[in-house]
Structure formats: C-alpha cells, structure tokens
Amino acid sequence: GGLLAYVGLFVGSSITTSAAMSVCIWLTELGFVMSYGGILLKSWRIDQIFNCRRPTVLKNSASRLQTQRLGAYLITLLALVSIILAIANEMDWLVSCEDGVGIGVTDRGSGEKMVYFDRCAEGKFKNVMFFAHLAILLPCCYLCFRLRKVAIEFAESHEISVIVYFASLIVILAFIVDARLLQHSPPDYLYLVRSLKAVFLFGVMAGVLFLPKIRQVQFPTPGELARRKSRRIKRAMTRTTTQISFISNVAPVQRASFV
C-alpha cells in the first residue's frame, strides 16, 4: 500500500495532465485502503480472539478469522473503493484543472518560448475521500483502545496504536490545512501537502512496524558461521554413509532377484 501511494506521488506532480492526476489519486487511495484496511482487519481479528467472552462465539467465528478470509475481505474493500473512484471519475469530481498555464522553456534554436501545461489538483471529491479515510481510521482507533491491555507479543497492539493515532492526526491536520489555509493556493502547495501526508502516513507505518523487527535480527558471528558449516558437513557425511550402507545391503538382493 505504501509503495502504491509513493508511485502515485511520482505520477501526479504539481504540473501534470488530468489523466496523470487521476492515476495519482487512484494509486494513493488504493494504497491507503490496502495498508490501513489491513491494519483494521488485523485489529478486528485480534479483538475477536482476545476479547471474546463466550468461547462458543469464538469457535463459530473461527472460519471468519482465517487469513484467506481476511484477504477476501480486503479485496472486497478495495473493489468497493475502486467502484466509488470510477463513479467519481465519470462525474469529473476527481480532478480540477486550470488550462493554459505558461511555463518558460529555453530552446537552443529559437530562444525562450512558452509551453502551456494544465495545472491539475484534486477536485471536490477530496472531501468524500477524507470521510472515507476516517471511516477506516476511527474503527481502528476504537479497536486499538479495546486492545490496549493485550500482550504485545501477540498483537503488536502498542505499535498499531501509535500508527493509527498518528495517522488519524495527520489526516485531520492535512484536511484542515487544505480546506482553510490553502483553499485558493496554487497546485504546487497542494501537491506539497499531499506528498507530506503520504510520507508521514506510510513512512511512520513502515518505521514503527519494521524497525523493531530489524533490531531483533541477530547476525551470526564468525564462530557461529564455522559451527553451522561443521554441522552441515556432518549432516552431509551422515547422509552419504547412510546411502552407501543402503546400496551395499540392497544391491545384492536386487541383482539376485533380477537373475
């Protein structure tokens, strides 16, 4: 999800076409739903396992908590968001453009000339996307509050809580800045706000979730590498000895039966 959002930032620069800006919005929104929708489903599964008070309910819902079923839920959520984006694209709500913005370009033959681009930014559908983000993040916040007492080695509840609370704050701040402070600003500033929003949303997620795991990786010392090599040699010699013994015992019997 983070990679999709970052690719969207490269596609939708501050000076771009309407089609490129649409691709940028598609990639960013699908990346957000893929990443934070996955966190929502994971938190829901952990809540169902650890906070379920009736064992019969947990036993009956075991099939719904399997990884394959949660993957199907996530694909369904992505399909729903894709349908909403497609409808908004057909209604021309995704992108708003200003035609005929001149940019000076220097040519060796004819000197400086003006090349006209379209300055495109997110359309009025960005308010709908804001509430769609909250529709994913607010249930995540509720589940993180319920999982605050779950052991961290089972749920990673502390890391997920930090990610969800920080993401909710970033989404709300970006909406306020975009709606109040940058309402009549050029698309350059809007692109900057969108870029910072994506960097904070997905960069913090990657850092909080994966940096502790990287620190726990124990790289082998030279002595440990030598011991591993010795064990591999011993296992190989044992297999070779076993194969030779098997051949020496079985081969005469096979020759006799063949004769």
Side-chain angles (χ1 to χ4, degrees):
L3 289 177
L4 281 180
Y6 288 144
V7 171
L9 291 180
F10 285 105
V11 173
S13 59
S14 58
I15 301 174
T16 184
T17 62
S18 176
M21 181 56 65
S22 298
V23 173
C24 170
I25 296 174
W26 273 77
L27 293 178
T28 304
E29 295 306 314
L30 292 178
F32 182 89
V33 173
M34 186 180 297
S35 56
Y36 286 92
I39 285 184
L40 174 62
L41 291 173
K42 177 178 180 177
S43 301
W44 173 73
R45 174 164 65 179
I46 296 170
D47 178 71
Q48 292 292 313
I49 293 174
F50 288 94
N51 292 331
C52 184
R53 298 181 179 180
R54 292 180 295 177
T56 55
V57 176
L58 179 60
K59 183 178 179 180
N60 295 331
S61 63
S63 61
R64 296 188 294 116
L65 302 179
Q66 294 179 355
T67 303
Q68 293 83 356
R69 186 65 64 87
L70 294 183
Y73 293 159
L74 184 58
I75 292 175
T76 303
L77 185 59
L78 289 171
L80 178 62
V81 173
S82 300
I83 293 173
I84 296 174
L85 290 173
I87 294 174
N89 193 25
E90 290 295 327
M91 301 293 292
D92 292 332
W93 290 349
L94 279 184
V95 181
S96 61
C97 294
E98 300 176 4
D99 298 329
V101 179
I103 304 296
V105 178
T106 302
D107 191 2
R108 292 181 180 180
S110 59
E112 185 175 356
K113 63 180 180 179
M114 298 300 292
V115 178
Y116 290 91
F117 296 91
D118 292 339
R119 286 184 179 270
C120 298
E122 296 177 354
K124 55 186 178 181
F125 189 71
K126 61 184 178 183
N127 297 327
V128 178
M129 292 187 290
F130 168 72
F131 289 106
H133 292 175
L134 289 184
I136 294 177
L137 290 175
L138 290 180
C140 286
C141 292
Y142 171 72
L143 291 173
C144 289
F145 179 77
R146 286 175 55 90
L147 296 174
R148 66 191 185 278
K149 296 182 180 180
V150 176
I152 187 171
E153 59 269 16
F154 293 105
E156 295 177 337
S157 55
H158 295 176
E159 288 93 340
I160 291 178
S161 299
V162 171
I163 293 170
V164 169
Y165 296 148
F166 185 80
S168 303
L169 178 63
I170 291 298
V171 168
I172 294 174
L173 286 179
F175 178 77
I176 294 175
V177 170
D178 192 2
R180 300 297 181 184
L181 302 180
L182 299 178
Q183 189 173 5
H184 302 289
S185 299
D188 299 341
Y189 296 99
L190 301 177
Y191 177 72
L192 177 62
V193 171
R194 186 171 65 250
S195 302
L196 292 176
K197 176 183 174 182
V199 168
F200 281 120
L201 284 178
F202 302 102
V204 169
M205 174 189 293
V208 173
L209 276 182
F210 297 113
L211 282 182
K213 295 179 173 61
I214 294 175
R215 286 200 298 264
Q216 292 176 1
V217 175
Q218 297 180 357
F219 296 98
T221 61
E224 180 65 23
L225 290 175
R227 287 192 292 270
R228 291 182 181 178
K229 184 177 180 181
S230 177
R231 287 196 293 266
R232 286 197 299 269
I233 293 174
K234 290 181 179 179
R235 287 196 296 267
M237 293 178 64
T238 303
R239 286 197 300 268
T240 304
T241 304
T242 304
Q243 292 173 357
I244 292 174
S245 176
F246 176 78
I247 292 173
S248 62
N249 294 328
V250 173
V253 177
Q254 292 181 343
R255 285 198 300 269
S257 62
F258 177 75
V259 172

